[in-house]
Amino acid sequence: MLRPERMSKVSVTGSRGVMPTVIETIHGLNLVHLSDYDGSWEGFDNGNPIAGADQASEKLVTVRALQSTLELSTDEAEPGSIDEEWEARLEEIRTRVNELDDRRGEITNELRQIDEKINRVAPFAELGIDLDLLSGYETVDVVVVEGDVDAIEDAVAATDEIRAFETFTGGDVVAIVAAPTEDTDEAPIDDALVGVDVTRHEVPETEQSPDAYVAELEDEKQSLESRRDEIDAELEEIKQAEADFLLRVEERLTIEVQQAEAPLQFATTDRAFIAEGWIPTDDYDRLVATLNDAVGDSVEIEELERADYDRHGAHAHTEDVQEGAPSAADEEDESPAEADDQQQKAVTDGGSTVTMGDEPPTIQNNPGPAKPFELLVQAVNRPKYSELDPTVFLFLTFPAFFGFMIGDAGYGIIYMALGGYMATQVDSEAISSLGGVAVWAGLFTTIFGFIYGEIFGLHILGEVVWHDMLNVELLPLNKGLEPAAADFALGWMVISVLAGILHLNIGYILDFYENLSHGFKDALFHSGSWILMLNGIWVWIFSTQGESAKPNFLFTTFASDGPFPIGFTGFPEWGLVTIPGLDFLLTAPLLAFLIGLVMLIVSEPVEAVEALDVVVNVFSYTRMGAVLLAKAGMAFVVNLLFFGAYEDPNGEFHFLRTHEPSYVAEHYGEGAEVVFNGLMHSGTAALLGGLVILVLGHVVVLALGVTSAGLQAVRLEYVEFFNKFYEGGGENYEPFGTDRNHTEDY
């Protein structure tokens, strides 16, 4: 469950004559993750594509272009067969669709030009001058511009190249008619406006008025749009009639191209080929049986190795399963040159050895409930085959962190509903996985909502479930927003720290387990040192040594009269030792920290500078308590604005859900105070506005719960937890083959 699925390296060797049949058989199994031959063996070259690969690729490009033009989706066809005349039919479709698409493109271009003409004539409509009056003059210069009218007139008046001018304006559009001086070059108005911020408008070549010109363009545009709609209708008819056929042909050609290009990954000679790849170990017998049925004794199939799980290199510890194959220990004793020579000789002689030195791909092997969380792991990096898959730990902690921070049954139910819809109604695998994550996050949000007694920020659950139904005094737990319950606010910070200590311990223990492959000593010094430092320093922090210098809430949070009354007031001063010559008392926790530090310096001197990470990393988890208080505070404010609230003589807050503000004075007298009357008690208009605030406010809190609690929980997993034992960088298992969705075997 914590390891990827066990993989085996297999080799298929045979004559070139049976290679097409072998390729077709392996492709049909959709099982073997092919290894790429790198051309390093003497006498072997990469194979060439099977005859017909280029033609199949060209047809595949054609089909996919048609699919794009017709906007086909993969769910628009039922499985079926393809007739023998499919190539001629494909050519007919291509010709017809290309003709229609070309015509549609021409019309679209014409429509764009018409829109540009309409946009160009709009400024002239503001002027109210016929277009033929704005051009065709020899003795005067006419320009139409758009900009600041006063600045334009001042600039034209200031130039010496114009002896007289007149302007006609409509809004910011200005038509300038100017008579240049005798010695002036062409375009005197343009020269005059060089320093002015204006937009020049070219006069359309027509004798019509602007309105008539636009009306003519609109008629032409409508005609073109009608023609385009007719073409769209024809394309839709082709789509409806040929969708099944095109999707089936695309699938068939994809298979043909994959099979034709497979030899590029093989090692080949003029007479033989060697193909290698990775398969799940449990499927090896099925591969052998299927190939034997297809080609009999014409190929030799070998299981070269079963990859072991070793985070520092899967090939360092592998289980050799062939007769006569060298053991891993023997290979380690050889020099690289000797091993390479032996490998090439074994390949050439037909012997058995591990040949293509690629790493096994990863198939994440997690139980159903944890499956959606593989997406969150892959967002960082897919696990290597040789390391632990952290998905299960993410499944066990991420929803709990999220639920702890939001802790509201109302929000939790909505998260579950949204997640359920995403998981069941959306085809995208990524969105579906996110939906599964949302369901679990919503479930824990609901559970913590019951623990806190909250639903949409109201303490209704606490009153109904714990007090009225179960008569439980300890629950619900207060979030600490009220002055009378301020100890809870600090208590949640302490709870967050304890969660961080536990979480990081799990990470270091996993790292210890991974390092056991290099021996107990290596694991003890590399990982055990961090475990000693982490627990030593934090046990000391929670100990009574130097209690007066430490925050008081460390010892009152779990005291008998504290917010979480379990009777803990700090660890004792275990193993008190006086250091000679120093006014300092060394206790067992500090000694454990120092021993861990020395072990780290011995094993990894460079990492010793990061020794204080055991404190800093734990403090990062206080963000959970901070988000808990922030989100609770936002919901509190939203409810306060709508319902109003009062503070009773004990300092506890109560929303005015069922009472008018006058109830407070009548019931408590001078011992209570109304904090805010609430919009629901302030008239009809305020009530309606308050309802809008209530709904929108909780929607905002709901959305921010994802961006704050979700991102903070993910950050704690990725940055604090994963860094202790996880590297990632594995290769995805991509078996050679295609799942048939539209075609029957042919």
Side-chain angles (χ1 to χ4, degrees):
M1 182 171 64
L2 300 181
R3 293 291 191 184
E5 187 168 338
R6 190 69 181 267
M7 302 296 290
S8 290
K9 186 71 170 288
V10 297
S11 170
V12 179
T13 306
S15 65
R16 292 290 292 268
V18 299
M19 186 169 67
T21 305
V22 170
I23 291 173
E24 183 178 351
T25 303
I26 293 177
H27 188 280
L29 284 172
N30 197 16
L31 186 64
V32 181
H33 180 99
L34 290 176
S35 302
D36 289 320
Y37 170 55
D38 62 5
S40 62
W41 306 335
E42 183 179 350
F44 285 82
D45 296 316
N46 291 92
N48 297 317
I50 296 174
D54 291 341
Q55 294 85 341
S57 295
E58 291 175 2
K59 291 184 175 66
L60 182 59
V61 170
T62 298
V63 172
R64 288 176 175 169
L66 291 173
Q67 289 178 338
S68 176
T69 301
L70 297 174
E71 298 180 353
L72 295 183
S73 61
T74 56
D75 59 354
E76 294 184 23
E78 296 294 331
S81 59
I82 302 175
D83 57 49
E84 295 181 358
E85 304 297 327
W86 67 269
E87 293 183 76
R89 181 178 176 183
L90 175 63
E91 180 61 24
E92 292 176 3
I93 297 171
R94 185 196 67 79
T95 302
R96 181 59 178 155
V97 169
N98 285 349
E99 288 177 356
L100 292 172
D101 191 51
D102 289 344
R103 285 167 50 193
R104 192 182 191 283
E106 293 171 359
I107 291 174
T108 300
N109 187 52
E110 291 180 32
L111 286 170
R112 183 170 56 253
Q113 293 175 359
I114 289 176
D115 285 335
E116 291 174 356
K117 291 179 180 179
I118 292 175
N119 291 334
R120 285 202 303 269
V121 82
F124 298 95
E126 295 187 36
L127 287 172
I129 301 175
D130 288 348
L131 298 176
D132 60 335
L133 299 178
L134 296 173
S135 61
Y137 300 100
E138 296 182 359
T139 58
V140 295
D141 187 19
V142 180
V143 173
V144 178
V145 296
E146 187 171 355
D148 182 86
V149 176
D150 293 337
I152 292 171
E153 291 180 343
D154 291 346
V156 174
T159 182
D160 295 333
E161 297 180 351
I162 297 176
R163 54 188 175 82
F165 73 92
E166 187 171 353
T167 60
F168 303 88
T169 62
D172 289 338
V173 181
V174 183
I176 307 169
V177 181
T181 57
E182 294 182 358
D183 57 347
T184 299
D185 296 331
E186 295 181 357
I189 299 177
D190 290 338
D191 294 340
L193 297 179
V194 167
V196 182
D197 184 15
V198 296
T199 300
R200 177 164 181 167
H201 299 289
E202 297 296 331
V203 179
E205 296 180 0
T206 178
E207 296 180 356
Q208 297 174 296
S209 67
D211 291 340
Y213 183 60
V214 170
E216 180 181 296
L217 291 174
E218 291 288 355
D219 289 341
E220 185 178 354
K221 179 179 179 180
Q222 185 175 2
S223 175
L224 288 172
E225 288 176 341
S226 297
R227 288 165 55 191
R228 187 173 63 180
D229 290 342
E230 292 175 0
I231 292 174
D232 288 340
E234 288 188 57
L235 289 172
E236 183 62 27
E237 289 179 6
I238 296 174
K239 175 181 176 179
Q240 296 298 326
E242 306 295 350
D244 288 1
F245 171 75
L246 289 174
L247 289 171
R248 290 169 188 168
V249 170
E250 192 270 342
E251 186 171 272
R252 173 172 177 166
L253 290 172
T254 298
I255 293 172
E256 288 185 8
V257 171
Q258 287 177 347
Q259 293 180 4
E261 294 180 349
L264 294 170
Q265 297 176 268
F266 296 176
T268 64
T269 66
D270 292 339
R271 298 183 179 180
F273 74 93
I274 299 175
E276 289 187 9
W278 294 95
I279 65 170
T281 299
D282 293 341
D283 290 318
Y284 175 70
D285 290 339
R286 182 158 67 98
L287 172 69
V288 173
T290 305
L291 282 174
N292 285 337
D293 289 342
V295 295
D297 297 332
S298 300
V299 295
E300 181 180 354
I301 309 162
E302 294 180 281
E303 184 179 9
L304 301 176
E305 65 168 317
R306 291 178 187 170
D308 200 356
Y309 302 112
D310 176 6
R311 69 184 299 184
H312 299 290
H315 285 169
H317 297 278
T318 56
E319 178 184 345
D320 296 295
V321 296
Q322 326 160 64
E323 295 182 3
S327 66
D330 292 337
E331 291 175 351
E332 291 176 356
D333 293 336
E334 295 172 351
S335 68
E338 291 173 344
D340 186 60
D341 291 342
Q342 185 180 32
Q343 184 184 71
Q344 291 185 358
K345 183 177 184 298
V347 171
T348 308
D349 292 345
S352 59
T353 185
V354 178
T355 50
M356 302 179 190
D358 54 333
E359 294 295 322
T362 300
I363 303 177
Q364 290 177 267
N365 185 23
N366 293 289
K371 270 290 181 185
F373 291 83
E374 291 179 356
L375 178 70
L376 295 184
V377 173
Q378 293 166 10
V380 179
N381 220 329
R382 188 179 301 276
K384 294 179 182 178
Y385 174 83
S386 54
E387 66 182 345
L388 289 173
D389 182 352
T391 300
V392 169
F393 297 100
L394 198 65
F395 163 66
L396 293 174
T397 56
F398 174 84
F401 289 167
F402 186 93
F404 172 81
M405 286 184 273
I406 303 298
D408 188 289
Y411 298 149
I413 291 171
I414 293 177
Y415 286 139
M416 283 194 290
L418 292 174
Y421 176 82
M422 293 164 61
T424 59
Q425 302 300 318
V426 180
D427 292 335
S428 169
E429 184 177 350
I431 299 298
S432 180
S433 294
L434 284 177
V437 172
V439 168
W440 283 103
L443 175 62
F444 275 82
T445 300
T446 304
I447 292 173
F448 276 97
F450 276 89
I451 293 174
Y452 302 139
E454 284 198 5
I455 179 168
F456 294 115
L458 302 173
H459 291 273
I460 300 173
L461 289 179
E463 300 170 3
V464 174
V465 176
W466 301 115
H467 295 169
D468 298 343
M469 295 177 58
L470 301 177
N471 195 28
V472 174
E473 294 298 329
L474 180 62
L475 294 174
L477 299 176
N478 200 304
K479 287 187 176 179
L481 297 179
E482 308 165 12
D487 289 345
F488 275 95
L490 294 174
W492 292 123
M493 294 298 179
V494 177
I495 294 291
S496 300
V497 165
L498 295 178
I501 295 171
L502 176 62
H503 201 218
L504 295 181
N505 265 298
I506 294 173
Y508 285 128
I509 290 171
L510 292 174
D511 187 61
F512 181 90
Y513 173 76
E514 290 276 66
N515 283 304
L516 281 175
S517 60
H518 287 263
F520 180 79
K521 180 180 178 181
D522 184 81
L524 180 63
F525 275 78
H526 186 273
S527 306
S529 58
W530 288 102
I531 296 174
L532 283 172
M533 288 192 297
L534 173 67
N535 293 286
I537 194 64
W538 281 101
V539 169
W540 178 81
I541 290 173
F542 279 95
S543 73
T544 56
Q545 184 183 22
E547 180 177 354
S548 60
K550 298 175 183 177
N552 190 49
F553 62 83
L554 293 177
F555 309 102
T556 59
T557 295
F558 301 104
S560 299
D561 58 348
F564 308 103
I566 63 174
F568 175 79
T569 56
F571 293 111
E573 297 179 343
W574 290 312
L576 199 62
V577 177
T578 302
I579 304 299
L582 297 175
D583 186 18
F584 184 76
L585 299 177
L586 181 65
T587 59
L590 284 179
L591 181 61
F593 173 81
L594 292 176
I595 292 173
L597 179 59
V598 171
M599 292 168 59
L600 182 63
I601 293 173
V602 170
S603 63
E604 298 287 346
V606 177
E607 292 187 11
V609 298
E610 301 175 355
L612 289 180
D613 281 358
V614 295
V615 176
V616 176
N617 289 167
V618 172
F619 277 138
S620 293
Y621 286 79
T622 57
R623 68 187 68 236
M624 293 199 301
V627 172
L628 180 152
L629 295 173
K631 290 295 154 283
M634 293 176 65
F636 179 88
V637 170
V638 171
N639 290 330
L640 175 65
L641 290 173
F642 181 74
F643 295 107
Y646 67 93
E647 183 180 356
D648 67 19
N650 297 321
E652 295 183 1
F653 274 65
H654 304 274
F655 290 114
L656 290 165
R657 295 183 292 106
T658 58
H659 303 292
E660 292 289 332
S662 58
Y663 165 85
V664 178
E666 296 173 359
H667 188 73
Y668 292 106
E670 296 182 358
E673 179 183 359
V674 174
V675 178
F676 182 67
N677 286 335
L679 296 175
M680 72 174 292
H681 305 296
S682 303
T684 304
L687 173 64
L688 295 176
L691 286 172
V692 174
I693 292 174
L694 183 69
V695 174
L696 291 181
H698 281 297
V699 169
V700 170
V701 177
L702 186 77
L704 290 178
V706 177
T707 59
S708 58
L711 291 178
Q712 294 300 342
V714 164
R715 183 202 175 280
L716 292 174
E717 299 285 359
Y718 290 171
V719 178
E720 313 300 344
F721 183 59
F722 280 17
N723 280 347
K724 303 302 178 284
F725 67 97
Y726 182 71
E727 295 178 2
E731 182 179 0
N732 186 31
Y733 171 67
E734 297 179 351
F736 174 64
T738 300
D739 291 328
R740 291 182 181 272
N741 298 312
H742 308 300
T743 60
E744 299 172 348
D745 290 342
Y746 53 86

